[in-house]
Amino acid sequence: MSTIIDISLPIHPAMPIYPGNQKTEFNRITKPSGSQLTNITFDSHAGTHIDGPSHAGLSDGTDSFSLELFYGPCRVVEGLGTDLIAKEALDQLGIGSGERILFKTDNSLRGYDEFYETWTALSSEAAAYLAQQKVKLVGIDWFGIKQKGAPDNGAHTELLSVGIPILEGINLSKVASGTYTLVALPLAYQGLDGAHTRAVLIKE
Ligand SMILES: [Zn+2]
């Protein structure tokens, strides 16, 4: 029997948000008929989401990605260092063409109740290596794949410039390293830099 592990962050007004970004708001409206609706205001990179090419200054949105990239085998890897994951840490993994790689770091251990100013991120060299290996998707267990405020945006550009989506804001605290089936289809926003997704791992 297969088990579905939810690796998505809950979406609600008190959810942690990257500083300076739009806060998540739910405004409930009751129509004269009595039916209830909610106006939702949030940032395209709030919670669990996919980064699209235009997030790195390129022209395409998340809708340019083939949905096939977001469904299929993936590998959760961990223990590759703190602060910044170096390219050298990836050499031992034997990453091959077509893999989906999710990085579980110490970010998963402290939880997602608040926004921490520092986190373990991917180095530009590591991102360039993953692009060279022609992976299908890269994910990380925090809101950003690069360090906050770092002028070098290589972790984004190396991947997005060759059409590799980045899955950010996944909670891997309950996930052991190993192989799973990933399902993380982006919502069908047209031409946007980011798209929310309900991301799950399926363990057979
Ligand atoms: Zn993002």
Side-chain angles (χ1 to χ4, degrees), residues 52-104:
S54 58
H55 185 52
L58 302 153
S59 57
D60 291 331
T62 50
D63 54 307
S64 67
F65 291 128
S66 161
L67 288 182
E68 182 269 338
L69 298 172
F70 305 101
Y71 171 65
C74 81
R75 181 147 58 122
V76 175
V77 296
E78 65 180 316
L80 300 170
T82 55
D83 195 30
L84 202 58
I85 297 171
K87 186 246 167 206
E88 291 68 31
L90 306 187
D91 287 338
Q92 53 176 326
L93 300 176
I95 293 170
S97 171
E99 283 206 72
R100 298 174 185 83
I101 303 291
L102 305 185
F103 289 97
K104 180 180 179 181

Coordinates of all heavy atoms in Angstrom, one line a residue, residues 52-104:
G52 N 9.5 30.2 -11.3 CA 9.5 30.1 -12.8 C 10.7 31.0 -13.3 O 11.2 31.8 -12.6
P53 N 11.0 30.8 -14.6 CA 12.1 31.5 -15.2 C 12.1 33.1 -15.0 O 13.1 33.7 -14.8 CB 12.0 31.2 -16.7 CG 11.3 29.8 -16.7 CD 10.4 29.9 -15.6
S54 N 10.9 33.7 -15.0 CA 10.9 35.1 -14.9 C 11.2 35.6 -13.5 O 11.5 36.8 -13.3 CB 9.5 35.7 -15.3 OG 8.5 35.1 -14.5
H55 N 11.3 34.7 -12.5 CA 11.8 35.0 -11.2 C 13.3 35.4 -11.3 O 13.7 36.2 -10.4 CB 11.6 33.9 -10.2 CG 11.9 34.2 -8.8 ND1 11.4 35.3 -8.1 CD2 12.7 33.5 -7.9 CE1 11.9 35.3 -6.9 NE2 12.7 34.2 -6.8
A56 N 14.0 34.9 -12.3 CA 15.4 35.2 -12.4 C 15.6 36.1 -13.6 O 16.7 36.2 -14.2 CB 16.2 33.9 -12.6
G57 N 14.6 36.9 -13.9 CA 14.8 37.9 -15.0 C 14.6 37.4 -16.4 O 14.9 38.1 -17.4
L58 N 14.2 36.1 -16.6 CA 14.0 35.6 -17.9 C 12.6 35.9 -18.3 O 11.8 36.4 -17.5 CB 14.3 34.1 -17.9 CG 15.8 33.8 -17.5 CD1 15.9 32.4 -16.8 CD2 16.8 34.0 -18.6
S59 N 12.2 35.5 -19.5 CA 10.9 35.9 -20.0 C 9.7 35.0 -19.6 O 8.6 35.5 -19.5 CB 10.9 36.2 -21.5 OG 11.3 35.0 -22.2
D60 N 10.0 33.7 -19.4 CA 8.8 32.8 -19.3 C 8.3 32.7 -17.8 O 9.1 32.9 -16.9 CB 9.2 31.4 -19.8 CG 9.4 31.3 -21.3 OD1 8.8 32.1 -22.0 OD2 10.3 30.5 -21.7
G61 N 7.0 32.3 -17.7 CA 6.4 32.1 -16.4 C 6.4 30.6 -16.1 O 6.9 29.8 -16.9
T62 N 5.8 30.3 -14.9 CA 5.8 28.9 -14.5 C 5.0 28.0 -15.5 O 5.2 26.8 -15.5 CB 5.2 28.7 -13.1 OG1 4.0 29.5 -13.1 CG2 6.1 29.3 -12.1
D63 N 4.1 28.6 -16.2 CA 3.3 27.9 -17.2 C 4.1 27.3 -18.4 O 3.6 26.5 -19.2 CB 2.1 28.7 -17.7 CG 2.5 30.0 -18.2 OD1 3.2 30.8 -17.6 OD2 2.1 30.3 -19.4
S64 N 5.3 27.8 -18.5 CA 6.2 27.3 -19.6 C 6.7 25.9 -19.3 O 7.2 25.3 -20.2 CB 7.3 28.3 -19.9 OG 8.2 28.3 -18.7
F65 N 6.7 25.5 -18.1 CA 7.2 24.2 -17.7 C 6.3 23.1 -18.1 O 5.1 23.2 -18.0 CB 7.4 24.1 -16.2 CG 8.5 24.9 -15.6 CD1 8.3 25.7 -14.5 CD2 9.8 24.8 -16.1 CE1 9.3 26.5 -14.0 CE2 10.8 25.6 -15.6 CZ 10.6 26.4 -14.5
S66 N 6.8 22.0 -18.6 CA 6.0 20.8 -18.9 C 5.6 20.2 -17.5 O 6.4 20.1 -16.6 CB 6.9 19.8 -19.6 OG 6.3 18.5 -19.5
L67 N 4.3 19.8 -17.4 CA 3.8 19.2 -16.1 C 4.5 18.0 -15.8 O 4.6 17.6 -14.6 CB 2.3 19.0 -16.2 CG 1.4 20.2 -16.2 CD1 0.0 19.8 -16.2 CD2 1.7 21.1 -15.0
E68 N 5.1 17.3 -16.7 CA 5.8 16.0 -16.5 C 7.0 16.2 -15.5 O 7.3 15.3 -14.8 CB 6.3 15.5 -17.9 CG 7.0 14.2 -17.9 CD 8.5 14.4 -17.7 OE1 9.1 15.5 -18.0 OE2 9.2 13.4 -17.3
L69 N 7.5 17.4 -15.5 CA 8.7 17.7 -14.5 C 8.2 17.5 -13.1 O 9.1 17.3 -12.2 CB 9.2 19.1 -14.8 CG 9.8 19.4 -16.2 CD1 10.1 20.9 -16.3 CD2 11.0 18.6 -16.4
F70 N 6.9 17.7 -12.8 CA 6.5 17.8 -11.4 C 5.8 16.5 -10.9 O 5.3 16.5 -9.8 CB 5.4 18.9 -11.3 CG 6.0 20.2 -11.8 CD1 5.6 20.7 -13.1 CD2 6.8 21.0 -11.0 CE1 6.2 21.9 -13.5 CE2 7.4 22.2 -11.5 CZ 7.0 22.7 -12.7
Y71 N 6.0 15.5 -11.7 CA 5.4 14.2 -11.3 C 6.3 13.1 -11.7 O 6.6 12.9 -12.9 CB 4.0 14.0 -12.0 CG 3.4 12.6 -11.8 CD1 3.1 12.1 -10.6 CD2 3.3 11.7 -12.9 CE1 2.6 10.9 -10.4 CE2 2.8 10.5 -12.8 CZ 2.4 10.0 -11.5 OH 2.0 8.8 -11.3
G72 N 6.8 12.3 -10.7 CA 7.6 11.2 -11.0 C 8.6 10.9 -9.9 O 8.6 11.5 -8.8
P73 N 9.6 10.0 -10.1 CA 10.5 9.6 -9.1 C 11.4 10.8 -8.7 O 11.7 11.7 -9.5 CB 11.4 8.6 -9.8 CG 10.7 8.2 -11.0 CD 9.8 9.3 -11.4
C74 N 11.6 10.8 -7.4 CA 12.5 11.9 -6.9 C 13.4 11.3 -5.7 O 13.0 10.2 -5.2 CB 11.8 13.1 -6.4 SG 11.1 12.9 -4.7
R75 N 14.5 12.0 -5.4 CA 15.4 11.5 -4.4 C 15.5 12.6 -3.3 O 15.8 13.8 -3.7 CB 16.7 11.2 -5.0 CG 17.7 10.7 -4.0 CD 18.7 9.6 -4.6 NE 19.4 10.1 -5.8 CZ 20.8 10.1 -5.8 NH1 21.5 9.7 -4.8 NH2 21.4 10.5 -7.0
V76 N 15.2 12.3 -2.1 CA 15.5 13.2 -1.0 C 16.9 12.9 -0.5 O 17.2 11.8 -0.1 CB 14.4 13.0 0.1 CG1 14.8 13.9 1.4 CG2 13.0 13.3 -0.4
V77 N 17.7 14.0 -0.4 CA 19.1 13.8 0.0 C 19.3 14.7 1.2 O 18.7 15.8 1.4 CB 20.1 14.1 -1.1 CG1 20.0 13.2 -2.2 CG2 20.0 15.6 -1.6
E78 N 20.1 14.3 2.2 CA 20.3 15.1 3.4 C 21.8 14.9 3.9 O 22.5 14.1 3.4 CB 19.3 14.7 4.5 CG 19.4 13.3 5.0 CD 18.4 13.1 6.1 OE1 18.2 13.9 7.0 OE2 17.7 12.0 6.1
G79 N 22.1 15.7 4.9 CA 23.5 15.6 5.5 C 24.5 16.2 4.6 O 25.7 15.7 4.6
L80 N 24.2 17.2 3.8 CA 25.2 17.7 2.9 C 25.8 19.1 3.3 O 26.4 19.8 2.5 CB 24.5 17.9 1.5 CG 24.0 16.6 0.9 CD1 23.2 16.9 -0.3 CD2 25.1 15.7 0.6
G81 N 25.7 19.4 4.6 CA 26.3 20.6 5.1 C 25.2 21.6 5.6 O 24.1 21.4 5.3
T82 N 25.7 22.6 6.3 CA 24.8 23.6 6.8 C 25.3 25.0 6.2 O 26.4 25.0 5.7 CB 24.9 23.8 8.3 OG1 26.2 23.9 8.7 CG2 24.3 22.5 9.0
D83 N 24.5 26.0 6.2 CA 24.8 27.3 5.7 C 24.7 27.3 4.2 O 23.8 27.9 3.6 CB 26.1 27.8 6.2 CG 26.3 29.2 6.0 OD1 25.3 30.0 6.1 OD2 27.5 29.7 5.8
L84 N 25.7 26.6 3.5 CA 25.7 26.6 2.1 C 26.1 25.2 1.6 O 27.1 24.7 2.0 CB 26.7 27.7 1.6 CG 26.5 28.2 0.2 CD1 25.1 28.9 0.0 CD2 27.6 29.3 -0.1
I85 N 25.3 24.6 0.8 CA 25.6 23.3 0.2 C 26.6 23.5 -1.0 O 26.3 24.2 -1.9 CB 24.4 22.6 -0.2 CG1 23.4 22.3 1.0 CG2 24.7 21.3 -0.9 CD1 22.1 21.8 0.6
A86 N 27.8 22.9 -0.8 CA 28.8 23.1 -1.8 C 28.7 22.1 -2.9 O 28.1 21.0 -2.7 CB 30.2 23.0 -1.2
K87 N 29.2 22.4 -4.1 CA 29.2 21.5 -5.2 C 29.9 20.2 -4.8 O 29.5 19.1 -5.2 CB 29.9 22.2 -6.4 CG 29.9 21.4 -7.7 CD 31.3 20.9 -8.1 CE 31.2 19.9 -9.2 NZ 32.3 19.0 -9.2
E88 N 31.0 20.3 -4.1 CA 31.8 19.1 -3.7 C 30.9 18.1 -2.9 O 31.1 16.9 -3.0 CB 33.0 19.5 -2.8 CG 34.1 20.2 -3.6 CD 33.6 21.6 -4.0 OE1 32.8 22.3 -3.3 OE2 34.1 22.1 -5.1
A89 N 29.9 18.6 -2.2 CA 29.1 17.7 -1.4 C 28.2 16.8 -2.3 O 27.7 15.8 -1.9 CB 28.2 18.5 -0.4
L90 N 28.0 17.3 -3.5 CA 27.1 16.6 -4.4 C 27.8 15.5 -5.2 O 27.2 14.6 -5.8 CB 26.4 17.5 -5.4 CG 25.7 18.7 -4.8 CD1 25.0 19.5 -5.9 CD2 24.7 18.3 -3.7
D91 N 29.2 15.6 -5.3 CA 30.0 14.6 -6.1 C 29.7 13.2 -5.7 O 29.6 12.3 -6.6 CB 31.5 14.9 -5.9 CG 31.8 16.2 -6.7 OD1 31.1 16.6 -7.6 OD2 32.9 16.8 -6.3
Q92 N 29.5 13.0 -4.4 CA 29.4 11.6 -3.9 C 28.0 11.0 -4.2 O 27.8 9.8 -4.0 CB 29.5 11.6 -2.4 CG 28.6 12.7 -1.8 CD 28.7 12.7 -0.3 OE1 28.8 11.7 0.4 NE2 28.5 13.9 0.3
L93 N 27.0 11.8 -4.7 CA 25.7 11.3 -4.8 C 25.4 10.6 -6.1 O 24.4 9.9 -6.3 CB 24.7 12.5 -4.7 CG 24.7 13.2 -3.3 CD1 23.8 14.4 -3.4 CD2 24.4 12.3 -2.2
G94 N 26.3 10.8 -7.1 CA 26.1 10.2 -8.4 C 24.8 10.6 -9.1 O 24.1 9.8 -9.6
I95 N 24.5 11.9 -9.0 CA 23.3 12.4 -9.6 C 23.3 12.3 -11.1 O 24.3 12.7 -11.8 CB 23.1 13.9 -9.2 CG1 22.8 14.0 -7.7 CG2 21.9 14.5 -9.9 CD1 22.9 15.3 -7.1
G96 N 22.3 11.8 -11.7 CA 22.2 11.5 -13.1 C 21.1 12.3 -13.8 O 20.3 12.9 -13.2
S97 N 21.2 12.3 -15.1 CA 20.2 13.0 -16.0 C 18.8 12.6 -15.6 O 18.5 11.4 -15.4 CB 20.5 12.7 -17.4 OG 19.6 13.1 -18.3
G98 N 17.9 13.5 -15.6 CA 16.5 13.2 -15.4 C 16.0 13.0 -13.9 O 14.9 12.8 -13.7
E99 N 17.0 13.2 -13.0 CA 16.6 13.0 -11.6 C 15.9 14.3 -11.0 O 16.1 15.4 -11.5 CB 17.8 12.7 -10.7 CG 18.3 11.3 -10.8 CD 19.1 10.9 -9.6 OE1 18.4 10.7 -8.5 OE2 20.3 10.8 -9.6
R100 N 15.0 14.0 -10.1 CA 14.5 15.2 -9.3 C 15.1 15.1 -7.9 O 15.0 14.0 -7.3 CB 12.9 15.0 -9.1 CG 12.2 15.1 -10.5 CD 10.7 14.8 -10.3 NE 10.1 14.7 -11.6 CZ 10.0 13.7 -12.4 NH1 10.6 12.5 -12.0 NH2 9.4 13.7 -13.6
I101 N 15.7 16.2 -7.5 CA 16.5 16.1 -6.2 C 15.9 17.1 -5.2 O 15.7 18.3 -5.5 CB 18.0 16.5 -6.5 CG1 18.6 15.6 -7.5 CG2 18.8 16.5 -5.1 CD1 18.9 14.2 -7.0
L102 N 15.5 16.6 -4.0 CA 15.0 17.5 -3.0 C 16.1 17.5 -1.8 O 16.5 16.4 -1.3 CB 13.7 16.9 -2.4 CG 12.6 16.7 -3.4 CD1 11.3 16.3 -2.7 CD2 12.3 17.9 -4.3
F103 N 16.5 18.7 -1.4 CA 17.5 18.8 -0.4 C 16.8 19.0 1.0 O 16.0 20.0 1.2 CB 18.3 20.1 -0.6 CG 19.3 19.9 -1.8 CD1 19.0 20.4 -3.1 CD2 20.5 19.2 -1.6 CE1 19.8 20.1 -4.1 CE2 21.3 19.0 -2.7 CZ 21.0 19.5 -4.0
K104 N 17.1 18.0 1.8 CA 16.6 18.1 3.2 C 17.8 18.6 4.0 O 18.9 18.0 4.0 CB 16.2 16.8 3.8 CG 15.7 16.8 5.2 CD 15.3 15.5 5.7 CE 14.9 15.6 7.2 NZ 14.4 14.3 7.8

